[in-house]
Amino acid sequence: MTRTPFRSLTRPRTRPRAGVRTSLLCAALLAVTVQTAALTVPATAVTAPATAVTAPAAAGDGGRDCVRTEDPRDDRARRILAITRKAKKDLRLNAVQLRVTVDGHEVVTDALGESMTGVPAEPDMHFRAGSVAFAHIGTALLRLVEERKVRLDDTVERWLPDLPKADRITLRMLASNTTGLHDYVTDPAFGAELEAHPFRAWTPKELVSYPLRHSFWYEPGASWSYSHANYVLLIAALEKITGVRIDRLVREKVTGPLGLRNTRNNFTPDIPRPVLHAFTSDRGLYEESTFWNPSWTTAPGAVITTHICDLARSAQAIGSGELLSPRSYRTLLDPGTVGLGGATKTCPASICLKQTEAKHFGFGVIVINGWVIQNPSFSGYAAIQAYLPSERLAIAVSATKTATTPEGNMAQEVAKRIAAELAPGTPLDIG
């Protein structure tokens, strides 16, 4: 998910409207990453109604298949935990969940801090995974191509006849963010509505209506710019192509084969138990945001939650192209985006971000110095899945905020520090 160019930001304390706009831009860290570069919840936090408080895990709620490493004796595990504890303190985080694997084998799994006051964070607590779903959808699309059910360069007018320029927009363009459509997340009108009504349920038609109020940034395929609308539309097209609802399609093509039993779509704001609670100051007051409605993040059927063990498995499998042919894997990492972007008369450099070999967008993933990542951040939740193919190294981190946590995705800052220790020659330099 995208935001404006990276820079150091200080959390606003008395400007709630500016705060929520910053959060919305932060919700889409994808575009920004391409361009650049233990505390208790205070008693003053506004919490959700008592009915929303996490209950103990019950049968059918995921079980305890993701547990912390007991008495880690591996030197790498001890170093990772020390780095994470320091990062949690430095960044004033409420909770941090982490899992690191090499070649699919666990190095360390843990959770630090609290889910909410008096409730310790655990590795198997579920959190919102946002744009991680885009990595799964990109892989699902490539599997459909391998099965010859569709071609990447098919235009979408037969499935999306009401979309302007549908006869020039291809599936490849939707998946790689090269259509030229505006991003509704950065639209001030959308931001004002979401700020005022964080529990609102959004429909795909309502979301896409915002970018369609604007002219295209450029002719389809001519440049690169991030837009959530691309994946809302891609999901609609895939459902029509296959006749299968997107949650079932992704489960069939990706999450099922990978054994991601705790990664699932949610058609309501509910989160499977046990829950990692989230808090934010986006609206000027530090408040609980766990059950804010995430329907705006993408289309129904692809609004997912997960836990840290599934996130690490996702990082490894997507980042290595486990489900894809070598040709499709190369397309996942670069579907033609490298070399695109850059300022024009109709698109500023802050929107049409330059795509380089070192830092560029693929099919629902970001490639940073060889790392293959996704980094959702919205409504108090932040996470990252990162995989370095050359080292077969997977890092998964989830983090939640206190009232004084710095702006931005702090999960990726924790991951960056871990990567510097484990792969010092290949920085996870997101920005």
Side-chain angles (χ1 to χ4, degrees):
M1 301 182 182
T2 61
R3 60 171 255 190
T4 51
F6 272 107
R7 58 186 181 274
S8 296
L9 297 175
T10 302
R11 179 182 305 282
R13 300 300 180 90
T14 59
R15 297 190 301 156
R17 298 194 68 83
V20 78
R21 283 195 295 271
T22 299
S23 173
L24 286 174
L25 297 175
C26 208
L29 275 167
L30 296 176
V32 182
T33 55
V34 174
Q35 183 190 27
T36 62
L39 298 175
T40 300
V41 178
T44 55
V46 178
T47 58
T51 55
V53 173
T54 305
D61 287 332
R64 302 211 35 106
D65 61 341
C66 182
V67 297
R68 59 173 38 89
T69 306
E70 291 189 15
D71 189 25
R73 298 178 181 179
D74 183 282
D75 184 56
R76 292 175 303 175
R78 292 196 296 268
R79 296 200 309 270
I80 292 167
L81 287 174
I83 289 167
T84 305
R85 291 189 188 101
K86 186 176 187 305
K88 179 181 178 296
K89 180 179 179 180
D90 292 346
L91 303 172
R92 302 182 295 281
L93 295 169
N94 192 56
V96 179
Q97 300 166 301
L98 72 148
R99 181 174 171 88
V100 176
T101 67
V102 174
D103 205 16
H105 300 293
E106 178 191 50
V107 176
V108 65
T109 304
D110 212 328
L112 311 176
E114 294 188 323
S115 169
M116 54 185 178
T117 304
V119 180
E122 298 290 345
D124 65 344
M125 286 180 167
H126 299 90
F127 53 88
R128 301 202 189 280
S131 55
V132 169
F134 299 164
H136 299 165
I137 291 165
T139 293
L141 170 59
L142 289 168
R143 295 201 69 188
L144 291 172
V145 171
E146 290 180 358
E147 295 165 6
R148 300 187 178 182
K149 294 180 179 178
V150 71
R151 296 178 301 178
L152 288 180
D153 294 319
D154 285 342
T155 54
V156 300
E157 70 270 22
R158 76 189 82 170
W159 308 299
L160 306 173
D162 297 328
L163 176 65
K165 303 188 180 185
D167 60 339
R168 283 172 278 169
I169 292 175
T170 66
L171 294 171
R172 184 192 299 271
M173 293 174 193
L174 288 173
S176 61
N177 282 286
T178 57
T179 63
L181 283 164
H182 280 236
D183 186 7
Y184 59 81
V185 166
T186 58
D187 188 308
F190 173 81
E193 177 63 20
L194 185 59
E195 174 188 3
H197 305 288
F199 296 100
R200 173 176 170 174
W202 293 83
T203 67
K205 183 177 179 179
E206 291 170 336
L207 296 174
V208 174
S209 71
Y210 286 92
L212 294 184
R213 297 174 188 177
H214 304 278
S215 299
F216 282 58
W217 287 115
Y218 46 82
E219 282 300 304
S223 189
W224 186 94
S225 57
Y226 187 77
S227 173
H228 287 73
N230 287 321
Y231 271 79
V232 173
L233 293 165
L234 177 60
I235 288 166
L238 291 178
E239 289 184 329
K240 290 186 178 180
I241 289 166
T242 62
V244 179
R245 206 171 64 189
I246 194 65
D247 59 317
R248 295 172 180 168
L249 179 65
V250 171
R251 185 166 64 246
E252 174 190 338
K253 300 296 182 186
V254 182
T255 59
L258 296 180
L260 303 181
R261 295 190 301 109
N262 282 272
T263 301
R264 65 193 73 173
N265 167 73
N266 301 280
F267 284 105
T268 74
D270 197 15
I271 300 177
R273 295 176 294 168
V275 180
L276 181 71
H277 285 242
F279 304 84
T280 184
S281 301
D282 287 350
R283 304 197 301 168
L285 173 70
Y286 185 59
E287 59 187 330
E288 175 156 3
S289 53
T290 308
F291 299 103
W292 284 5
N293 197 314
S295 58
W296 60 271
T297 58
T298 189
V303 181
I304 64 171
T305 55
T306 192
H307 65 26
I308 202 66
C309 293
D310 267 18
L311 192 66
R313 174 70 177 122
S314 173
Q316 175 205 357
I318 298 298
S320 67
E322 180 176 322
L323 297 174
L324 301 174
S325 68
R327 179 179 180 180
S328 292
Y329 179 53
R330 289 192 295 271
T331 300
L332 178 84
L333 300 184
D334 178 15
T337 48
V338 172
L340 295 178
T344 67
K345 291 181 180 179
T346 60
C347 189
S350 59
I351 299 295
C352 287
L353 302 173
K354 188 66 177 177
Q355 305 289 290
T356 68
E357 186 68 35
K359 298 181 180 182
H360 64 271
F361 195 92
F363 266 10
V365 298
I366 312 163
V367 179
I368 305 284
N369 296 330
W371 289 88
V372 184
I373 76 165
Q374 255 297 351
N375 57 346
S377 177
F378 63 100
S379 299
Y381 285 104
I384 184 172
Q385 64 171 49
Y387 184 75
L388 185 59
S390 62
E391 302 293 331
R392 299 180 180 179
L393 169 64
I395 300 174
V397 178
S398 168
T400 58
K401 301 177 180 181
T402 66
T404 61
T405 299
E407 277 299 347
N409 185 330
M410 292 299 102
Q412 68 187 25
E413 177 60 30
V414 177
K416 179 180 178 180
R417 298 187 187 189
I418 295 171
E421 174 66 29
L422 300 181
T426 314
L428 186 54
D429 186 16
I430 300 171

PDB file of all heavy atoms in Angstrom, residues 1 27 128 130-131 134 184-185 190 202 207 226 228-229 231-232 293-299 302-304 378-379:
ATOM      1  N   MET A   1       0.835  -1.187   0.000  1.00  0.00           N
ATOM      2  CA  MET A   1       0.000   0.000   0.000  1.00  0.00           C
ATOM      3  C   MET A   1       0.877   1.246   0.000  1.00  0.00           C
ATOM      4  O   MET A   1       1.971   1.228   0.512  1.00  0.00           O
ATOM      5  CB  MET A   1      -0.909  -0.027   1.220  1.00  0.00           C
ATOM      6  CG  MET A   1      -1.790  -1.261   1.237  1.00  0.00           C
ATOM      7  SD  MET A   1      -2.896  -1.270   2.621  1.00  0.00           S
ATOM      8  CE  MET A   1      -3.700  -2.810   2.355  1.00  0.00           C
ATOM      9  N   ALA A  27      -0.871   3.620   4.746  1.00  0.00           N
ATOM     10  CA  ALA A  27      -1.537   2.359   4.475  1.00  0.00           C
ATOM     11  C   ALA A  27      -1.068   1.761   3.182  1.00  0.00           C
ATOM     12  O   ALA A  27      -1.283   0.599   2.929  1.00  0.00           O
ATOM     13  CB  ALA A  27      -3.042   2.574   4.415  1.00  0.00           C
ATOM     14  N   ARG A 128      -4.240  -8.105  10.990  1.00  0.00           N
ATOM     15  CA  ARG A 128      -4.623  -7.802   9.614  1.00  0.00           C
ATOM     16  C   ARG A 128      -3.378  -7.748   8.726  1.00  0.00           C
ATOM     17  O   ARG A 128      -2.395  -7.087   9.064  1.00  0.00           O
ATOM     18  CB  ARG A 128      -5.384  -6.475   9.544  1.00  0.00           C
ATOM     19  CG  ARG A 128      -6.650  -6.495  10.398  1.00  0.00           C
ATOM     20  CD  ARG A 128      -7.654  -5.451   9.953  1.00  0.00           C
ATOM     21  NE  ARG A 128      -8.757  -5.339  10.899  1.00  0.00           N
ATOM     22  CZ  ARG A 128      -9.790  -6.161  10.972  1.00  0.00           C
ATOM     23  NH1 ARG A 128      -9.866  -7.197  10.128  1.00  0.00           N
ATOM     24  NH2 ARG A 128     -10.751  -5.985  11.859  1.00  0.00           N
ATOM     25  N   GLY A 130      -3.479  -6.982   5.225  1.00  0.00           N
ATOM     26  CA  GLY A 130      -3.553  -6.005   4.148  1.00  0.00           C
ATOM     27  C   GLY A 130      -2.999  -6.465   2.816  1.00  0.00           C
ATOM     28  O   GLY A 130      -3.438  -7.453   2.230  1.00  0.00           O
ATOM     29  N   SER A 131      -1.972  -5.743   2.333  1.00  0.00           N
ATOM     30  CA  SER A 131      -1.462  -5.942   0.983  1.00  0.00           C
ATOM     31  C   SER A 131      -0.705  -7.251   0.778  1.00  0.00           C
ATOM     32  O   SER A 131      -0.313  -7.556  -0.347  1.00  0.00           O
ATOM     33  CB  SER A 131      -0.567  -4.770   0.597  1.00  0.00           C
ATOM     34  OG  SER A 131       0.468  -4.585   1.553  1.00  0.00           O
ATOM     35  N   PHE A 134      -2.147  -9.065  -1.964  1.00  0.00           N
ATOM     36  CA  PHE A 134      -1.795  -8.761  -3.349  1.00  0.00           C
ATOM     37  C   PHE A 134      -0.711  -9.698  -3.865  1.00  0.00           C
ATOM     38  O   PHE A 134      -0.692 -10.060  -5.045  1.00  0.00           O
ATOM     39  CB  PHE A 134      -1.342  -7.304  -3.475  1.00  0.00           C
ATOM     40  CG  PHE A 134      -2.387  -6.298  -3.089  1.00  0.00           C
ATOM     41  CD1 PHE A 134      -2.038  -4.984  -2.825  1.00  0.00           C
ATOM     42  CD2 PHE A 134      -3.724  -6.643  -2.971  1.00  0.00           C
ATOM     43  CE1 PHE A 134      -2.990  -4.041  -2.474  1.00  0.00           C
ATOM     44  CE2 PHE A 134      -4.690  -5.714  -2.608  1.00  0.00           C
ATOM     45  CZ  PHE A 134      -4.324  -4.411  -2.361  1.00  0.00           C
ATOM     46  N   TYR A 184      -7.357   5.739  -4.799  1.00  0.00           N
ATOM     47  CA  TYR A 184      -8.391   6.333  -3.945  1.00  0.00           C
ATOM     48  C   TYR A 184      -7.883   6.601  -2.539  1.00  0.00           C
ATOM     49  O   TYR A 184      -8.352   7.510  -1.854  1.00  0.00           O
ATOM     50  CB  TYR A 184      -9.653   5.467  -3.918  1.00  0.00           C
ATOM     51  CG  TYR A 184      -9.487   4.047  -3.426  1.00  0.00           C
ATOM     52  CD1 TYR A 184      -9.446   3.740  -2.072  1.00  0.00           C
ATOM     53  CD2 TYR A 184      -9.419   2.985  -4.330  1.00  0.00           C
ATOM     54  CE1 TYR A 184      -9.314   2.436  -1.630  1.00  0.00           C
ATOM     55  CE2 TYR A 184      -9.305   1.673  -3.902  1.00  0.00           C
ATOM     56  CZ  TYR A 184      -9.247   1.399  -2.555  1.00  0.00           C
ATOM     57  OH  TYR A 184      -9.119   0.104  -2.120  1.00  0.00           O
ATOM     58  N   VAL A 185      -6.886   5.854  -2.077  1.00  0.00           N
ATOM     59  CA  VAL A 185      -6.383   6.037  -0.716  1.00  0.00           C
ATOM     60  C   VAL A 185      -5.786   7.426  -0.518  1.00  0.00           C
ATOM     61  O   VAL A 185      -5.850   7.986   0.572  1.00  0.00           O
ATOM     62  CB  VAL A 185      -5.352   4.938  -0.381  1.00  0.00           C
ATOM     63  CG1 VAL A 185      -4.556   5.287   0.869  1.00  0.00           C
ATOM     64  CG2 VAL A 185      -6.061   3.610  -0.173  1.00  0.00           C
ATOM     65  N   PHE A 190     -11.871  10.847  -0.150  1.00  0.00           N
ATOM     66  CA  PHE A 190     -11.954   9.519   0.449  1.00  0.00           C
ATOM     67  C   PHE A 190     -11.406   9.534   1.872  1.00  0.00           C
ATOM     68  O   PHE A 190     -11.999   8.975   2.803  1.00  0.00           O
ATOM     69  CB  PHE A 190     -11.182   8.505  -0.393  1.00  0.00           C
ATOM     70  CG  PHE A 190     -11.083   7.150   0.250  1.00  0.00           C
ATOM     71  CD1 PHE A 190     -12.135   6.253   0.180  1.00  0.00           C
ATOM     72  CD2 PHE A 190      -9.941   6.777   0.941  1.00  0.00           C
ATOM     73  CE1 PHE A 190     -12.047   5.000   0.797  1.00  0.00           C
ATOM     74  CE2 PHE A 190      -9.848   5.535   1.558  1.00  0.00           C
ATOM     75  CZ  PHE A 190     -10.896   4.655   1.487  1.00  0.00           C
ATOM     76  N   TRP A 202     -17.269  -0.596   2.856  1.00  0.00           N
ATOM     77  CA  TRP A 202     -17.139  -0.048   1.511  1.00  0.00           C
ATOM     78  C   TRP A 202     -17.385  -1.129   0.460  1.00  0.00           C
ATOM     79  O   TRP A 202     -17.004  -2.294   0.648  1.00  0.00           O
ATOM     80  CB  TRP A 202     -15.743   0.530   1.313  1.00  0.00           C
ATOM     81  CG  TRP A 202     -15.451   1.733   2.143  1.00  0.00           C
ATOM     82  CD1 TRP A 202     -15.042   1.759   3.450  1.00  0.00           C
ATOM     83  CD2 TRP A 202     -15.541   3.097   1.718  1.00  0.00           C
ATOM     84  NE1 TRP A 202     -14.883   3.057   3.869  1.00  0.00           N
ATOM     85  CE2 TRP A 202     -15.168   3.902   2.833  1.00  0.00           C
ATOM     86  CE3 TRP A 202     -15.884   3.710   0.526  1.00  0.00           C
ATOM     87  CZ2 TRP A 202     -15.145   5.290   2.769  1.00  0.00           C
ATOM     88  CZ3 TRP A 202     -15.849   5.103   0.460  1.00  0.00           C
ATOM     89  CH2 TRP A 202     -15.484   5.871   1.571  1.00  0.00           C
ATOM     90  N   LEU A 207     -15.366   2.377  -3.980  1.00  0.00           N
ATOM     91  CA  LEU A 207     -13.928   2.625  -3.961  1.00  0.00           C
ATOM     92  C   LEU A 207     -13.423   3.104  -5.321  1.00  0.00           C
ATOM     93  O   LEU A 207     -12.685   4.086  -5.414  1.00  0.00           O
ATOM     94  CB  LEU A 207     -13.187   1.349  -3.540  1.00  0.00           C
ATOM     95  CG  LEU A 207     -13.459   0.846  -2.126  1.00  0.00           C
ATOM     96  CD1 LEU A 207     -12.789  -0.496  -1.902  1.00  0.00           C
ATOM     97  CD2 LEU A 207     -12.996   1.853  -1.079  1.00  0.00           C
ATOM     98  N   TYR A 226       1.264   3.751  -8.174  1.00  0.00           N
ATOM     99  CA  TYR A 226       0.515   2.811  -7.343  1.00  0.00           C
ATOM    100  C   TYR A 226      -0.931   3.238  -7.175  1.00  0.00           C
ATOM    101  O   TYR A 226      -1.232   4.397  -6.926  1.00  0.00           O
ATOM    102  CB  TYR A 226       1.159   2.670  -5.958  1.00  0.00           C
ATOM    103  CG  TYR A 226       0.491   1.583  -5.171  1.00  0.00           C
ATOM    104  CD1 TYR A 226       0.770   0.252  -5.440  1.00  0.00           C
ATOM    105  CD2 TYR A 226      -0.455   1.888  -4.215  1.00  0.00           C
ATOM    106  CE1 TYR A 226       0.126  -0.758  -4.749  1.00  0.00           C
ATOM    107  CE2 TYR A 226      -1.108   0.883  -3.517  1.00  0.00           C
ATOM    108  CZ  TYR A 226      -0.821  -0.430  -3.793  1.00  0.00           C
ATOM    109  OH  TYR A 226      -1.469  -1.429  -3.115  1.00  0.00           O
ATOM    110  N   HIS A 228      -4.555   1.384  -5.329  1.00  0.00           N
ATOM    111  CA  HIS A 228      -5.326   0.265  -4.801  1.00  0.00           C
ATOM    112  C   HIS A 228      -6.426  -0.165  -5.767  1.00  0.00           C
ATOM    113  O   HIS A 228      -6.830  -1.337  -5.778  1.00  0.00           O
ATOM    114  CB  HIS A 228      -5.985   0.672  -3.473  1.00  0.00           C
ATOM    115  CG  HIS A 228      -5.041   0.776  -2.327  1.00  0.00           C
ATOM    116  ND1 HIS A 228      -4.136   1.793  -2.196  1.00  0.00           N
ATOM    117  CD2 HIS A 228      -4.869  -0.017  -1.238  1.00  0.00           C
ATOM    118  CE1 HIS A 228      -3.440   1.638  -1.076  1.00  0.00           C
ATOM    119  NE2 HIS A 228      -3.865   0.547  -0.483  1.00  0.00           N
ATOM    120  N   ALA A 229      -6.917   0.777  -6.556  1.00  0.00           N
ATOM    121  CA  ALA A 229      -8.004   0.460  -7.490  1.00  0.00           C
ATOM    122  C   ALA A 229      -7.612  -0.629  -8.463  1.00  0.00           C
ATOM    123  O   ALA A 229      -8.459  -1.412  -8.920  1.00  0.00           O
ATOM    124  CB  ALA A 229      -8.423   1.718  -8.249  1.00  0.00           C
ATOM    125  N   TYR A 231      -6.007  -3.386  -7.954  1.00  0.00           N
ATOM    126  CA  TYR A 231      -6.271  -4.728  -7.426  1.00  0.00           C
ATOM    127  C   TYR A 231      -7.755  -4.961  -7.160  1.00  0.00           C
ATOM    128  O   TYR A 231      -8.235  -6.096  -7.253  1.00  0.00           O
ATOM    129  CB  TYR A 231      -5.402  -5.002  -6.191  1.00  0.00           C
ATOM    130  CG  TYR A 231      -4.072  -5.594  -6.614  1.00  0.00           C
ATOM    131  CD1 TYR A 231      -3.063  -4.787  -7.119  1.00  0.00           C
ATOM    132  CD2 TYR A 231      -3.853  -6.959  -6.580  1.00  0.00           C
ATOM    133  CE1 TYR A 231      -1.867  -5.319  -7.555  1.00  0.00           C
ATOM    134  CE2 TYR A 231      -2.667  -7.513  -7.000  1.00  0.00           C
ATOM    135  CZ  TYR A 231      -1.671  -6.692  -7.499  1.00  0.00           C
ATOM    136  OH  TYR A 231      -0.482  -7.235  -7.951  1.00  0.00           O
ATOM    137  N   VAL A 232      -8.488  -3.916  -6.837  1.00  0.00           N
ATOM    138  CA  VAL A 232      -9.944  -4.057  -6.752  1.00  0.00           C
ATOM    139  C   VAL A 232     -10.492  -4.521  -8.105  1.00  0.00           C
ATOM    140  O   VAL A 232     -11.327  -5.439  -8.186  1.00  0.00           O
ATOM    141  CB  VAL A 232     -10.602  -2.736  -6.319  1.00  0.00           C
ATOM    142  CG1 VAL A 232     -12.128  -2.841  -6.387  1.00  0.00           C
ATOM    143  CG2 VAL A 232     -10.171  -2.356  -4.904  1.00  0.00           C
ATOM    144  N   ASN A 293     -13.318  -1.133  10.256  1.00  0.00           N
ATOM    145  CA  ASN A 293     -13.662  -1.943   9.080  1.00  0.00           C
ATOM    146  C   ASN A 293     -12.569  -1.831   8.015  1.00  0.00           C
ATOM    147  O   ASN A 293     -12.290  -0.738   7.518  1.00  0.00           O
ATOM    148  CB  ASN A 293     -14.996  -1.478   8.507  1.00  0.00           C
ATOM    149  CG  ASN A 293     -15.602  -2.511   7.584  1.00  0.00           C
ATOM    150  OD1 ASN A 293     -14.929  -3.071   6.731  1.00  0.00           O
ATOM    151  ND2 ASN A 293     -16.890  -2.774   7.763  1.00  0.00           N
ATOM    152  N   PRO A 294     -11.944  -2.950   7.619  1.00  0.00           N
ATOM    153  CA  PRO A 294     -10.864  -2.916   6.630  1.00  0.00           C
ATOM    154  C   PRO A 294     -11.347  -3.098   5.192  1.00  0.00           C
ATOM    155  O   PRO A 294     -10.537  -3.339   4.290  1.00  0.00           O
ATOM    156  CB  PRO A 294     -10.004  -4.110   7.045  1.00  0.00           C
ATOM    157  CG  PRO A 294     -11.021  -5.113   7.515  1.00  0.00           C
ATOM    158  CD  PRO A 294     -12.124  -4.305   8.183  1.00  0.00           C
ATOM    159  N   SER A 295     -12.657  -2.981   4.954  1.00  0.00           N
ATOM    160  CA  SER A 295     -13.203  -3.258   3.619  1.00  0.00           C
ATOM    161  C   SER A 295     -12.649  -2.319   2.554  1.00  0.00           C
ATOM    162  O   SER A 295     -12.673  -2.645   1.364  1.00  0.00           O
ATOM    163  CB  SER A 295     -14.733  -3.159   3.645  1.00  0.00           C
ATOM    164  OG  SER A 295     -15.156  -1.879   4.090  1.00  0.00           O
ATOM    165  N   TRP A 296     -12.124  -1.164   2.957  1.00  0.00           N
ATOM    166  CA  TRP A 296     -11.579  -0.216   1.987  1.00  0.00           C
ATOM    167  C   TRP A 296     -10.235  -0.651   1.421  1.00  0.00           C
ATOM    168  O   TRP A 296      -9.784  -0.126   0.394  1.00  0.00           O
ATOM    169  CB  TRP A 296     -11.424   1.170   2.630  1.00  0.00           C
ATOM    170  CG  TRP A 296     -10.502   1.194   3.809  1.00  0.00           C
ATOM    171  CD1 TRP A 296     -10.822   0.970   5.122  1.00  0.00           C
ATOM    172  CD2 TRP A 296      -9.097   1.459   3.794  1.00  0.00           C
ATOM    173  NE1 TRP A 296      -9.719   1.072   5.925  1.00  0.00           N
ATOM    174  CE2 TRP A 296      -8.639   1.371   5.126  1.00  0.00           C
ATOM    175  CE3 TRP A 296      -8.177   1.759   2.786  1.00  0.00           C
ATOM    176  CZ2 TRP A 296      -7.300   1.574   5.476  1.00  0.00           C
ATOM    177  CZ3 TRP A 296      -6.840   1.963   3.132  1.00  0.00           C
ATOM    178  CH2 TRP A 296      -6.424   1.866   4.467  1.00  0.00           C
ATOM    179  N   THR A 297      -9.574  -1.607   2.068  1.00  0.00           N
ATOM    180  CA  THR A 297      -8.209  -1.953   1.661  1.00  0.00           C
ATOM    181  C   THR A 297      -8.150  -2.659   0.316  1.00  0.00           C
ATOM    182  O   THR A 297      -7.157  -2.553  -0.398  1.00  0.00           O
ATOM    183  CB  THR A 297      -7.527  -2.819   2.723  1.00  0.00           C
ATOM    184  OG1 THR A 297      -8.296  -4.013   2.937  1.00  0.00           O
ATOM    185  CG2 THR A 297      -7.405  -2.063   4.040  1.00  0.00           C
ATOM    186  N   THR A 298      -9.195  -3.404  -0.031  1.00  0.00           N
ATOM    187  CA  THR A 298      -9.266  -4.065  -1.327  1.00  0.00           C
ATOM    188  C   THR A 298     -10.675  -4.634  -1.479  1.00  0.00           C
ATOM    189  O   THR A 298     -11.568  -4.310  -0.710  1.00  0.00           O
ATOM    190  CB  THR A 298      -8.196  -5.160  -1.467  1.00  0.00           C
ATOM    191  OG1 THR A 298      -8.162  -5.628  -2.813  1.00  0.00           O
ATOM    192  CG2 THR A 298      -8.445  -6.331  -0.525  1.00  0.00           C
ATOM    193  N   ALA A 299     -10.872  -5.494  -2.478  1.00  0.00           N
ATOM    194  CA  ALA A 299     -12.209  -6.013  -2.754  1.00  0.00           C
ATOM    195  C   ALA A 299     -12.605  -7.109  -1.769  1.00  0.00           C
ATOM    196  O   ALA A 299     -11.746  -7.792  -1.201  1.00  0.00           O
ATOM    197  CB  ALA A 299     -12.267  -6.559  -4.175  1.00  0.00           C
ATOM    198  N   ALA A 302     -10.722 -10.663  -0.348  1.00  0.00           N
ATOM    199  CA  ALA A 302      -9.266 -10.568  -0.272  1.00  0.00           C
ATOM    200  C   ALA A 302      -8.812  -9.712   0.903  1.00  0.00           C
ATOM    201  O   ALA A 302      -7.694  -9.209   0.914  1.00  0.00           O
ATOM    202  CB  ALA A 302      -8.707 -10.007  -1.569  1.00  0.00           C
ATOM    203  N   VAL A 303      -9.679  -9.539   1.891  1.00  0.00           N
ATOM    204  CA  VAL A 303      -9.343  -8.768   3.095  1.00  0.00           C
ATOM    205  C   VAL A 303      -8.916  -9.782   4.151  1.00  0.00           C
ATOM    206  O   VAL A 303      -9.752 -10.435   4.774  1.00  0.00           O
ATOM    207  CB  VAL A 303     -10.541  -7.930   3.573  1.00  0.00           C
ATOM    208  CG1 VAL A 303     -10.174  -7.124   4.810  1.00  0.00           C
ATOM    209  CG2 VAL A 303     -11.021  -7.003   2.452  1.00  0.00           C
ATOM    210  N   ILE A 304      -7.613  -9.936   4.349  1.00  0.00           N
ATOM    211  CA  ILE A 304      -7.128 -11.107   5.085  1.00  0.00           C
ATOM    212  C   ILE A 304      -6.554 -10.779   6.457  1.00  0.00           C
ATOM    213  O   ILE A 304      -6.125  -9.665   6.732  1.00  0.00           O
ATOM    214  CB  ILE A 304      -6.076 -11.880   4.266  1.00  0.00           C
ATOM    215  CG1 ILE A 304      -4.816 -11.027   4.028  1.00  0.00           C
ATOM    216  CG2 ILE A 304      -6.665 -12.362   2.961  1.00  0.00           C
ATOM    217  CD1 ILE A 304      -3.666 -11.804   3.406  1.00  0.00           C
ATOM    218  N   PHE A 378      -1.665  -0.113   8.266  1.00  0.00           N
ATOM    219  CA  PHE A 378      -2.914   0.655   8.288  1.00  0.00           C
ATOM    220  C   PHE A 378      -3.657   0.404   9.590  1.00  0.00           C
ATOM    221  O   PHE A 378      -3.546  -0.662  10.188  1.00  0.00           O
ATOM    222  CB  PHE A 378      -3.815   0.303   7.095  1.00  0.00           C
ATOM    223  CG  PHE A 378      -4.284  -1.128   7.071  1.00  0.00           C
ATOM    224  CD1 PHE A 378      -5.563  -1.456   7.504  1.00  0.00           C
ATOM    225  CD2 PHE A 378      -3.464  -2.145   6.625  1.00  0.00           C
ATOM    226  CE1 PHE A 378      -6.012  -2.769   7.492  1.00  0.00           C
ATOM    227  CE2 PHE A 378      -3.901  -3.469   6.607  1.00  0.00           C
ATOM    228  CZ  PHE A 378      -5.174  -3.780   7.039  1.00  0.00           C
ATOM    229  N   SER A 379      -4.393   1.410  10.030  1.00  0.00           N
ATOM    230  CA  SER A 379      -5.294   1.316  11.186  1.00  0.00           C
ATOM    231  C   SER A 379      -4.623   0.717  12.420  1.00  0.00           C
ATOM    232  O   SER A 379      -5.214  -0.070  13.153  1.00  0.00           O
ATOM    233  CB  SER A 379      -6.535   0.485  10.813  1.00  0.00           C
ATOM    234  OG  SER A 379      -7.243   1.094   9.750  1.00  0.00           O
TER     235      SER A 379
END
